[in-house]
Amino acid sequence: MDFLRTAPHRRLNPLTGEWVLVSPHRTERPWMGQREARAGTDVPAYDPDCYLCPGNRRAHGAVNPHYPYTFVFDNDFPALLPESEGEKIDRDGLMVGEAERGICRVICFSPRHDLTLARMTVKDIARVVGVWAAQYRALGALDGIGAVQIFENRGDMMGASNPHPHCQVWATGALPNEMAKELASQSAYWRAHGSALLVDYLRLEREAGERIVFENDHFTVLVPFWAVWPFETMVLPRRHVGAIDELTTEESTALAAALSQLTIRYDNLFETPFPYSMGFHQKPTDGEAHAEWQLHAHFYPPLLRSATVRKFMVGFEMLGSPQRDITAESAAARLRALPATHYLATA
Ligand SMILES: [Zn+2]
Ligand SMILES: [Zn+2]
């Protein structure tokens, strides 16, 4: 297994069937540990121009309530509409198109414009987890909704339009690509082994230990063996469970604590509010049991070496396969060694 540390190699992502090229010999280049000035203190608690802050007016005239914790509303500019209709087209399998129905919502995590998950209390994050569970259940129960995708885009670098802490929920008729790939892989594994792919994978990771960032009583956070982004992580429940709404109260709190701890470590890495796209993959809501599915979250952060030096997916990565220099093992070691208290709290 020594080649995993020293020689160029590729690793398979068993969830998607895709490969990542790893080039550990290139990280022997010295790392300058460049740091920007401590960032994250210049955002106001309330912004009169923010369309997510309490009491403010949104597009089309709606006014936000003075919400004390969380706030959910239908996206004013939704990518999907509930009543999209049209005849499916299929020209010799070469030009295929069909209408897609869906619902897009926004969930504000907090009335405070300046907070992030990393700076919210575990108790307040647990309220957000409760809203995720309720939204997954309510949207998933609607006729014709096959999947509920909860995701957060954090930071300018990820194209997030507003620093106010919030996420989105897109409920779709069809399974999106990533879900479809993961369903196919998890189903095939279930048929072959009679157990869940990610449950067995987590057991291997806990035996190995070197890619684990931290654990609490019910969740493990790790850098997956096949990670593409430099500090990519997965959040995995230790019990076999398909969706957030199946978690016990204690498990929901443990999930909130894991998200708090992970986002604090991310912010501490370069002492900057850490940009990322994150989201939960929960079992499809097509009415099937989906025993093969294991709930998990992916965090995909773009930063590589500092608050401003990011990874780009270009060149060989666009045309061939993704590639990384820093190994999953050394990324996990870096994250594991970071302080568990937020840098702004200790400033
Ligand atoms: Zn705001
Ligand atoms: Zn996934």
Side-chain angles (χ1 to χ4, degrees):
M1 299 266 282
D2 249 9
F3 72 93
L4 291 177
R5 255 172 257 286
T6 53
H9 61 276
R10 60 182 201 145
R11 301 187 186 192
L12 175 69
N13 180 340
L15 276 172
T16 60
E18 291 168 359
W19 295 84
V20 53
L21 181 61
V22 186
S23 316
H25 58 296
R26 299 218 305 184
T27 41
E28 307 317 321
R29 294 177 302 176
W31 181 70
M32 296 306 289
Q34 174 193 353
R35 271 187 185 171
E36 318 305 310
R38 288 187 164 219
T41 48
D42 52 349
V43 180
Y46 168 77
D47 179 348
D49 296 324
C50 168
Y51 60 90
L52 300 175
C53 275
N56 288 0
R57 190 172 296 274
R58 301 203 311 273
H60 316 319
V63 175
N64 296 332
H66 286 276
Y67 58 97
Y69 302 111
T70 59
F71 172 48
V72 184
F73 63 93
D74 285 334
N75 198 313
D76 297 313
F77 301 99
L80 293 154
L81 296 168
E83 57 289 298
S84 171
E85 273 179 30
E87 199 87 347
K88 177 173 177 169
I89 66 152
D90 183 344
R91 295 189 190 131
D92 304 331
L94 298 174
M95 291 178 165
V96 180
E98 60 188 11
E100 172 69 319
R101 295 181 188 196
I103 296 167
C104 298
R105 289 184 178 159
V106 177
I107 302 174
C108 295
F109 295 164
S110 163
R112 284 271 301 271
H113 185 80
D114 58 334
L115 293 186
T116 59
L117 284 179
R119 296 182 60 212
M120 287 171 62
T121 63
V122 170
K123 200 172 164 190
D124 283 346
I125 298 174
R127 294 179 204 275
V128 176
V129 174
V131 174
W132 289 339
Q135 289 295 321
Y136 170 81
R137 179 166 287 189
L139 291 170
L142 295 176
D143 248 1
I145 293 299
V148 178
Q149 179 62 62
I150 294 170
F151 64 96
E152 179 191 9
N153 266 342
R154 173 97 227 138
D156 296 345
M157 201 174 270
M158 299 309 289
S161 52
N162 189 328
H164 195 116
H166 70 285
C167 74
Q168 301 188 54
V169 188
W170 290 19
T172 53
L175 270 189
N177 291 342
E178 291 303 305
M179 291 279 294
K181 283 185 271 183
E182 293 194 358
L183 178 62
S185 301
Q186 290 180 98
S187 299
Y189 189 92
W190 182 267
R191 284 193 301 273
H193 302 271
S195 55
L197 186 157
L198 284 175
V199 171
D200 289 357
Y201 169 66
L202 179 59
R203 189 171 54 246
L204 284 182
E205 285 290 17
R206 295 188 79 212
E207 283 165 18
E210 61 182 340
R211 282 169 297 274
I212 307 272
V213 178
F214 66 89
E215 297 192 312
N216 62 28
D217 286 347
H218 301 288
F219 283 84
T220 299
V221 175
L222 53 82
V223 178
F225 180 76
W226 55 84
V228 166
W229 295 93
F231 294 96
E232 175 178 338
T233 54
M234 278 178 90
V235 181
L236 284 160
R238 282 220 287 289
R239 182 167 71 86
H240 184 196
V241 54
I244 298 175
D245 70 333
E246 295 167 32
L247 297 176
T248 64
T249 308
E250 198 182 298
E251 288 169 335
S252 295
T253 306
L255 173 57
L259 295 174
S260 166
Q261 190 48 226
L262 175 58
T263 51
I264 285 172
R265 282 168 193 261
Y266 272 152
D267 278 12
N268 286 345
L269 184 60
F270 301 123
E271 294 196 341
T272 195
F274 208 67
Y276 57 75
S277 272
M278 72 82 89
F280 288 90
H281 279 154
Q282 308 187 72
K283 69 182 185 188
T285 55
D286 52 8
E288 306 290 320
H290 290 298
E292 75 287 338
W293 195 276
Q294 173 72 336
L295 165 70
H296 59 282
H298 299 279
F299 275 76
Y300 298 126
L303 291 182
L304 177 60
R305 258 191 293 278
S306 74
T308 51
V309 178
R310 61 160 296 169
K311 174 183 180 63
F312 288 96
M313 291 280 212
V314 294
F316 188 80
E317 313 202 278
M318 275 183 134
L319 296 152
S321 297
Q323 181 271 340
R324 62 182 291 141
D325 293 349
I326 173 178
T327 60
E329 294 73 38
S330 48
R334 289 273 299 282
L335 291 171
R336 195 162 52 231
L338 288 166
T341 309
H342 197 273
Y343 70 92
L344 289 175
T346 56

